Amino acid sequence: MIWFTKWALRNRPALVFSVIASIIFGIFSYTRIPMELMPSADQPFITISVVGNGMDAVSMDEQVTQPIEKVLTGIKGKRNVVAETGNNFSQMTVTFESDTNLKEARQQIQDNISMVNLPNGVMKPYVVLLNTSQIPVVYLGLTFDKEIGNNELNLVDNEILPLFKDVKGVGNVITYGGKNQQVSIKVDAAKLAAAQYPLEKLYTVLKGKNASVAVGEQTLNNQETSIIVTGKLESLEDIQNLQLNKGTKLKDVADVTLEKDTTSITHMNGKSFIEIVVQKDSTSNAVTLGKEVAKLAKDINHDYKGTLTATVFINLADTVLNSINSMTREVLTGALFATLIIWLFLKSFRMTLITIISIPLSLCITMILLSFFGVTLNILTLGGIAVSVGRLVDDSIVVVENIFRRKQGNQLTPSFIIDAVKEVAAAITSSTLTTVAVFLPMTLASGSLRDLIAPFAITITCSLLSSLLVALTVVPALSGRLMKNVKTKEHKPKSFYPSVLRWSLNHKWLPIVLSVVVVIGAVGLFTMIPKGSVDQKDSAYLSVLLKYPNGAKFADIQEGLSKLETILSKQEGVTNNIVQVGNNADAAQFGELQDGNQVQFMVFLKEGVDSAKIAQALRKTKNQFPTAELIANTAGLMGENKTTVSVDVLGKNDSDIKKAADIIIKKLNTIKGVQKVESNDADKKPTVNITVDSKVANAEEVSGSLQAMLQPAVIGNMKIDGRTTMVKLGALKEIRTSKDLENLEIFTQDGPVLLSKVAEVEQIEQPGTLYSKDGQHYLQVNATVHPKKMVNVAGEINKQLLTWDKDKTFGNETSAELTGSSMQSTDDLMELAKLAMFSIGIVFMILLITLKSFRASFAILLSLPLAAIGSLLGLVVSKSSIDISSGIGMLMLVGIVVTNAIVLVDRIRHNEENMTIREAIMEAGTVRLRPILMTALATVFAMVPLLFAHESAMSMNLVSKGLAVVVIFGLIVSTLLTLIVIPTFYELFHFRKAKKQRVKKGTEENHNEFSI
């Protein structure tokens, strides 16, 4: 690597040009790299959403869910299929092994589902694989001064949407809500009979009335002319005036009205609205796009004042910009802290300037490399820069300090600088490569974890390699220029450390015992510290749910919705609220189907408002909703801010499943860290079961006859206000009791007959929602737990489940298993543990190649358990848990802590050429003390801003306080212990050689004394 230094000193003009070019292109790359919230990562599951047409839960389960479940059995990498089936909907979630290619799995699922024959009226299933790159940049709502009708929908489609699609950088614009109106024909049976018009003919009343038929071509006026016969119905009046027979029009026997869809509700601040979701393309900048869309919304409000209002309720541009600004502040603050540490040690402005030049220059080179690799600027890549900023000066510190130390009485000639750099080049190269060797394997992680941490690892790798290049080229060249006139005082080594080191070498038992105690203590602390998930403390909005029991009337749900909207409108601090009820195609394409008895609100708050306090205030209003359960929680990018551990109970008998679920609920309530326990054991829904006597009637004919009388029937489409509008023939009979149903007169082959004569009508209770897992009905018990104790709670539950399984507590055909986010977090932590072991192996290999000594390499690896005890102590002191963030921090430590040990051992190895082992150790410890402390403290203080960093609710916070705590405490403890333990073990590993050298030296001294 010394070749870089020789080239830099011999080609100063080329070096100056390279530096200037790197700065210019680095700044240019920074402005051109796309900014987004998160790197592109697939969710570890695929959802299949299906919307029915008036089908109850049992029918949906038998005719939709089960057939789809059967064709999913052979999907590659599938872990399990969990289905929720309710009235009019079915939603399945397919989870996969971490190494599965989810895009291929999605295509395979689509192909398999295409072979399933679904009942008439059931929508085509949506197979949804969500990716973080699909996270919309802007959500906004369009509200109108009057009810949304076809004219308003035309305005949105023809004028508003094109404006958004024309914005540069927009990849996709999706609308949600705002359904076409529909024509409803409600027949008066008595008037129809009086007009002597058969009911059956009403089903074909539109046939041929609204058509365009090409007759052919004829020669007219000496020209070939097309002849087209067209019939047009373009208004409500056209339908009302349809002639049924002589003297009778449709309006004479039926009410014909234009009404909106009554099966779902989408409101914003109490008014119907159309939601517009704007996604960016793969190359655009989220910040720029968000600003442009927000500006367009203001222009729309100005241009369409009095007609509609565009309200932006989520703009990720603000979030991304705040995150970038926050992380940039942390980078600059960390760089400032590192600079102060260097200045305090060197007490020279010029030398400090030489050292810290590596930070901006390394960052510029990093930006160029990130642009080359196609890595975006997001919360994780910026986090990578933040955690590596202290490490960027490490190599430069060692180079500058060595040149400064050797300068006393010497001229800064090129050959002198080359020798000074050569002395440490192997050490800094080895230490940098070992750190890189820790981060690069992160790209080998599986699934979504890899997608998230790979850009983080690439960023740190690029920055470290850039800093090494700067340390070997720019720093020596600047040193030769700026340090010529720097007066250096003789560096007087401190006497305290050499005394402690000598005593430790003479009393090796103490460092050895200390190391054993440290290892045992680390193991003990690891078992004691809670292991959980990343705690999402901040809030982007409130998630408020009104949950009604099965069988609740739609009118009651509407009333509760209106009441809660009124409460929210009076709540101080609330800016906007949006609500959704019911299922439709818009919800299905996002994989967001829900029980029709649930009212889901998203409540947005003013900046700085205490969201937890408002959530608590909303919970206190639950008494105003006696028939519904009110749930209010803070929420962020990944949904509600709560951590759950789930247990799935499977079996063949519903009663046995229920008993097992009750046992689990009782046990979970006794586990420390569990805050709330509930199950998905849904309420029963009242159902009328009609059993047809097959001897006297046909069940299919009976059901068809009932459906024709009780359910609106689509009899055609027509154009109204330029939009295709559905025409429905309303229900012919209105029933209120099961007795009314029995007295219905249906049509059979033998003529009209009462339903009670051909079938038995009974009222029963059946599940309003059905849950299945891998084709078996099941119940899920969910425990809301403290985020820091999630893995501990999961471990305790797993232990109990094994005991129950061994004791046959649930019976032979009933079982329970741990699932949900706890499994994902445990898998991620295990993945990081595997990566750590792999990284340690690579580090050891690099050490063997560099030092060419097994014992020296092993001595350096002893710094790792020393770092472990420090990081674990830090977690205890800060009351943090072992989660993904702290796990990444521990992985980082593997590379960082060996740096100091390498610098120390490399010097010892160099000294051994002309010194005894004891002398080599003492000299190396004395000489390397200052650069080791400087590099360690520079890294530690550069990480301090992360301890107080704002954790955004709209990110996953993988680079957070837990990571900083682990690195800071681990590095401090390992540095202090490394200065004692590593030299001690190094001499211990060379015990025989060292003993011979001491004996020989003692003999020589005695001989010299005798001669005198």
Side-chain angles (χ1 to χ4, degrees):
M1 299 300 285
I2 199 65
W3 179 88
F4 288 103
T5 306
K6 292 178 179 179
W7 179 88
L9 294 176
R10 291 171 185 169
N11 299 274
R12 292 180 186 272
L15 179 66
V16 172
F17 174 76
S18 299
V19 170
I20 295 173
S22 297
I23 294 173
I24 293 173
F25 283 104
I27 295 172
F28 178 75
S29 297
Y30 175 77
T31 60
R32 300 295 295 174
I33 295 175
M35 293 183 183
E36 57 187 11
L37 186 65
M38 301 290 291
S40 176
D42 289 329
Q43 286 186 341
F45 57 85
I46 292 174
T47 59
I48 304 165
S49 304
V50 190
V51 176
N53 184 22
M55 296 177 67
D56 64 281
V58 174
S59 299
M60 282 292 293
D61 182 56
E62 293 174 352
Q63 300 177 42
V64 177
T65 304
Q66 292 181 24
I68 292 179
E69 284 177 330
K70 287 177 182 177
V71 300
L72 297 178
T73 53
I75 301 299
K76 185 179 179 181
K78 175 179 67 69
R79 182 178 283 177
N80 55 53
V81 180
V82 175
E84 178 182 357
T85 307
N87 297 318
N88 211 36
F89 82 97
S90 174
Q91 182 154 290
M92 285 153 273
T93 302
V94 188
T95 55
F96 295 86
E97 301 295 340
S98 57
D99 57 349
T100 304
N101 185 320
L102 293 177
K103 291 181 176 60
E104 291 181 1
R106 179 177 179 270
Q107 185 59 51
Q108 190 179 358
I109 289 173
Q110 283 181 321
D111 293 342
N112 288 12
I113 289 178
S114 66
M115 297 183 292
V116 178
N117 291 319
L118 298 176
N120 292 331
V122 174
M123 274 179 39
K124 180 182 177 182
Y126 283 93
V127 181
V128 182
L129 170 60
L130 293 179
N131 184 286
T132 54
S133 63
Q134 294 174 298
I135 296 174
V137 176
V138 178
Y139 295 81
L140 57 87
L142 300 177
T143 52
F144 293 80
D145 292 347
K146 56 182 179 179
E147 193 64 45
I148 297 176
N150 286 347
N151 289 327
E152 287 69 32
L153 294 175
N154 285 332
L155 175 65
V156 172
D157 288 346
N158 301 329
E159 298 184 33
I160 304 299
L161 285 184
L163 294 175
F164 287 101
K165 291 177 180 178
D166 288 342
V167 176
K168 186 178 179 181
V170 169
N172 193 21
V173 180
I174 303 169
T175 59
Y176 188 99
K179 295 299 176 185
N180 282 1
Q181 292 175 299
Q182 58 192 25
V183 176
S184 175
I185 303 174
K186 294 182 179 178
V187 178
D188 186 318
K191 291 180 179 179
L192 188 66
Q196 297 182 344
Y197 192 82
L199 174 64
E200 292 80 4
K201 290 188 69 174
L202 272 183
Y203 288 94
T204 60
V205 70
L206 294 184
K207 189 174 182 181
K209 297 287 196 309
N210 192 34
S212 180
V213 182
V215 174
E217 291 187 349
Q218 293 290 323
T219 303
L220 300 178
N221 301 323
N222 296 320
Q223 287 183 318
E224 289 295 322
T225 306
S226 298
I227 300 176
I228 301 174
V229 178
T230 302
K232 284 188 177 180
L233 294 174
E234 294 184 325
S235 68
L236 203 61
E237 289 76 16
D238 290 343
I239 300 180
Q240 289 172 335
N241 292 320
L242 279 176
Q243 198 77 35
L244 300 183
N245 57 27
K246 189 177 181 180
T248 306
K249 294 181 179 179
L250 182 59
K251 65 181 181 181
D252 297 329
V253 297
D255 289 330
V256 183
T257 57
L258 196 61
E259 61 182 30
K260 62 179 181 177
D261 177 22
T262 56
T263 59
S264 61
I265 299 172
T266 50
H267 277 186
M268 178 177 185
N269 301 329
K271 298 174 67 176
S272 296
F273 83 112
I274 299 173
E275 181 178 351
I276 294 182
V277 179
V278 181
Q279 296 174 321
K280 76 180 191 70
D281 60 29
S282 58
T283 59
S284 63
N285 190 313
V287 174
T288 304
L289 178 59
K291 289 180 178 178
E292 288 296 320
V293 174
K295 180 177 178 298
L296 176 58
K298 289 182 180 178
D299 292 341
I300 289 173
N301 287 334
H302 178 268
D303 296 341
Y304 292 87
K305 187 176 182 181
T307 303
L308 63 83
T309 302
T311 305
V312 176
F313 50 87
I314 293 181
N315 190 342
L316 287 191
D318 299 332
T319 303
V320 173
L321 197 59
N322 290 338
S323 299
I324 289 174
N325 290 339
S326 174
M327 204 59 78
T328 301
R329 285 195 299 271
E330 287 149 24
V331 169
L332 294 176
T333 307
L336 176 63
F337 285 167
T339 301
L340 290 175
I341 292 297
I342 296 166
W343 184 81
L344 287 173
F345 274 90
L346 299 180
K347 293 182 175 62
S348 167
F349 174 77
R350 289 189 176 189
M351 290 177 60
T352 303
L353 180 63
I354 295 170
T355 306
I356 65 170
I357 196 69
S358 62
I359 294 179
L361 190 53
S362 298
L363 291 179
C364 285
I365 297 173
T366 300
M367 289 298 138
I368 297 172
L369 293 174
L370 291 183
S371 178
F372 178 78
F373 286 119
V375 176
T376 61
L377 276 182
N378 53 65
I379 194 70
L380 289 179
T381 51
L382 285 169
I385 292 172
V387 300
S388 64
V389 67
R391 184 68 180 79
L392 294 181
V393 295
D394 282 10
D395 295 340
S396 298
I397 287 174
V398 174
V399 171
V400 168
E401 198 277 337
N402 205 50
I403 295 173
F404 179 75
R405 182 181 56 81
R406 288 172 54 117
K407 182 182 179 294
Q408 297 168 7
N410 294 304
Q411 293 294 321
L412 286 179
T413 62
S415 59
F416 171 81
I417 293 176
I418 289 172
D419 288 340
V421 175
K422 186 177 181 180
E423 191 174 63
V424 295
I428 63 173
T429 301
S430 178
S431 62
T432 301
L433 290 179
T434 53
T435 310
V436 168
V438 169
F439 289 108
L440 271 185
M442 287 185 179
T443 59
L444 302 177
S446 307
S448 57
L449 181 63
R450 177 195 59 231
D451 296 334
L452 288 173
I453 66 176
F456 173 80
I458 291 172
T459 302
I460 294 181
T461 298
C462 291
S463 61
L464 293 181
L465 292 177
S466 301
S467 71
L468 175 62
L469 181 63
V470 171
L472 292 172
T473 54
V474 178
V475 169
L478 278 176
S479 299
R481 177 75 61 173
L482 297 179
M483 287 177 62
K484 283 184 177 179
N485 299 322
V486 174
K487 294 182 179 180
T488 58
K489 297 179 182 180
E490 184 178 353
H491 178 58
K492 296 180 181 179
K494 304 297 180 182
S495 59
F496 176 74
Y497 171 64
S499 301
V500 173
L501 178 58
R502 185 176 291 106
W503 189 91
S504 299
L505 292 172
N506 291 330
H507 302 82
K508 292 185 177 62
W509 62 270
L510 183 59
I512 293 172
V513 171
L514 179 63
S515 300
V516 173
V517 170
V518 163
V519 173
I520 296 173
V523 174
L525 277 177
F526 182 81
T527 57
M528 291 166 50
I529 293 177
K531 301 161 190 73
S533 63
V534 177
D535 188 6
Q536 185 73 72
K537 297 177 182 177
D538 199 5
S539 172
Y541 61 93
L542 296 182
S543 173
V544 184
L545 179 69
L546 272 180
K547 194 172 182 181
Y548 283 86
N550 280 310
K553 291 189 295 185
F554 192 72
D556 293 339
I557 295 175
Q558 283 182 300
E559 183 183 346
L561 182 151
S562 299
K563 188 181 293 184
L564 187 52
E565 284 178 330
T566 303
I567 292 171
L568 290 173
S569 66
K570 296 177 181 178
Q571 180 66 52
E572 189 176 349
V574 172
T575 56
N576 296 299
N577 69 81
I578 62 175
V579 60
Q580 175 196 337
V581 180
N583 294 307
N584 49 47
D586 292 332
Q589 66 181 326
F590 290 105
E592 295 177 351
L593 298 182
Q594 63 181 22
D595 196 306
N597 300 311
Q598 295 183 1
V599 179
Q600 181 72 58
F601 278 85
M602 292 177 69
V603 182
F604 300 93
L605 311 173
K606 293 178 182 177
E607 191 172 348
V609 171
D610 189 336
S611 55
K613 187 177 290 185
I614 292 182
Q616 183 63 35
L618 291 175
R619 292 188 200 111
K620 291 179 180 178
T621 65
K622 64 181 180 180
N623 293 334
Q624 298 185 41
F625 306 92
T627 60
E629 180 185 4
L630 188 148
I631 301 169
N633 289 305
T634 59
L637 177 69
M638 305 308 292
E640 291 185 72
N641 294 341
K642 63 178 183 179
T643 307
T644 59
V645 175
S646 303
V647 180
D648 292 346
V649 187
L650 298 94
K652 294 183 178 180
N653 184 291
D654 288 345
S655 61
D656 289 343
I657 293 175
K658 181 72 170 62
K659 289 177 183 176
D662 291 340
I663 294 172
I664 293 171
I665 291 172
K666 188 176 180 180
K667 177 61 182 178
L668 289 182
N669 279 313
T670 65
I671 296 177
K672 187 177 180 181
V674 173
Q675 299 170 336
K676 182 182 179 182
V677 183
E678 55 190 353
S679 80
N680 62 359
D681 184 16
D683 297 329
K684 301 293 184 182
K685 182 175 182 178
T687 305
V688 174
N689 188 44
I690 301 172
T691 307
V692 177
D693 186 348
S694 57
K695 296 176 183 178
V696 295
N698 182 293
E700 190 171 345
E701 289 179 355
V702 171
S703 65
S705 183
L706 287 174
Q707 190 170 26
M709 286 188 289
L710 303 179
Q711 293 293 329
V714 178
I715 61 174
N717 294 294
M718 60 177 288
K719 288 277 187 179
I720 294 183
D721 299 326
R723 300 187 72 84
T724 300
T725 304
M726 186 184 298
V727 181
K728 283 187 174 182
L729 184 62
L732 303 179
K733 296 289 185 179
E734 186 174 334
I735 60 171
R736 298 184 180 278
T737 66
S738 58
K739 197 70 177 174
D740 293 339
L741 193 59
E742 292 177 0
N743 293 329
L744 273 181
E745 193 173 62
I746 62 172
F747 295 92
T748 66
Q749 293 178 349
D750 299 327
V753 63
L754 292 178
L755 179 63
S756 58
K757 300 295 184 181
V758 297
E760 181 184 351
V761 180
E762 61 175 331
Q763 193 156 352
I764 61 171
E765 296 281 331
Q766 72 175 20
T769 308
L770 294 170
Y771 301 91
S772 61
K773 181 173 183 179
D774 297 329
Q776 282 186 288
H777 285 171
Y778 85 110
L779 284 180
Q780 186 176 79
V781 179
N782 296 302
T784 303
V785 303
H786 195 285
K788 295 179 180 179
K789 296 183 179 180
M790 186 186 66
V791 177
N792 297 67
V793 171
E796 180 64 30
I797 295 171
N798 222 13
K799 190 190 303 180
Q800 187 62 59
L801 289 176
L802 290 173
T803 303
W804 284 332
D805 185 57
K806 187 177 180 181
D807 297 341
K808 304 292 183 185
T809 304
F810 301 146
N812 293 327
E813 295 187 330
T814 307
S815 62
E817 59 187 12
L818 198 64
T819 59
S821 57
S822 60
M823 292 293 290
Q824 184 65 41
S825 291
T826 303
D827 288 347
D828 289 344
L829 289 174
M830 289 298 295
E831 190 82 23
L832 289 176
K834 292 176 186 176
L835 289 176
M837 298 303 296
F838 184 64
S839 298
I840 291 171
I842 296 178
V843 167
F844 192 56
M845 178 61 72
I846 292 174
L847 293 175
L848 290 173
I849 295 172
T850 305
L851 301 176
K852 298 178 177 61
S853 169
F854 183 87
R855 286 177 289 184
S857 302
F858 190 73
I860 290 175
L861 284 187
L862 288 173
S863 60
L864 296 182
L866 307 182
I869 189 67
S871 61
L872 294 172
L873 280 172
L875 292 175
V876 171
V877 171
S878 63
K879 297 181 180 179
S880 302
S881 64
I882 297 175
D883 54 30
I884 304 303
S885 177
S886 56
I888 293 175
M890 291 178 182
L891 194 56
M892 287 178 59
L893 274 180
V894 174
I896 294 176
V897 300
V898 298
T899 301
N900 293 333
I902 289 173
V903 171
L904 179 60
V905 172
D906 179 76
R907 181 73 183 184
I908 296 173
R909 297 275 296 169
H910 180 75
N911 289 342
E912 280 190 70
E913 295 175 3
N914 49 32
M915 298 181 189
T916 65
I917 291 178
R918 175 64 64 88
E919 290 170 343
I921 291 173
M922 293 301 300
E923 194 275 348
T926 305
V927 170
R928 291 289 184 244
L929 176 64
R930 184 167 63 173
I932 285 175
L933 291 178
M934 286 172 65
T935 55
L937 290 176
T939 303
V940 165
F941 278 90
M943 294 287 288
V944 167
L946 275 179
L947 287 176
F948 309 99
H950 173 72
E951 298 179 356
S952 172
M954 296 303 284
S955 69
M956 296 185 71
N957 292 342
L958 295 184
V959 182
S960 60
K961 177 183 174 183
L963 185 149
V965 166
V966 166
V967 173
I968 290 172
F969 280 83
L971 191 52
I972 290 174
V973 173
S974 69
T975 299
L976 296 177
L977 293 178
T978 292
L979 292 170
I980 301 299
V981 175
I982 300 301
T984 302
F985 273 91
Y986 186 89
E987 188 178 66
L988 181 65
F989 291 157
H990 298 81
F991 179 77
R992 291 184 180 179
K993 184 178 178 181
K995 185 176 181 181
K996 287 180 181 179
Q997 289 175 344
R998 288 197 299 272
V999 171
K1000 182 180 179 181
K1001 186 174 182 180
T1003 303
E1004 289 176 353
E1005 289 175 354
N1006 291 334
H1007 177 72
N1008 293 336
E1009 184 179 342
F1010 178 76
S1011 299
I1012 293 172

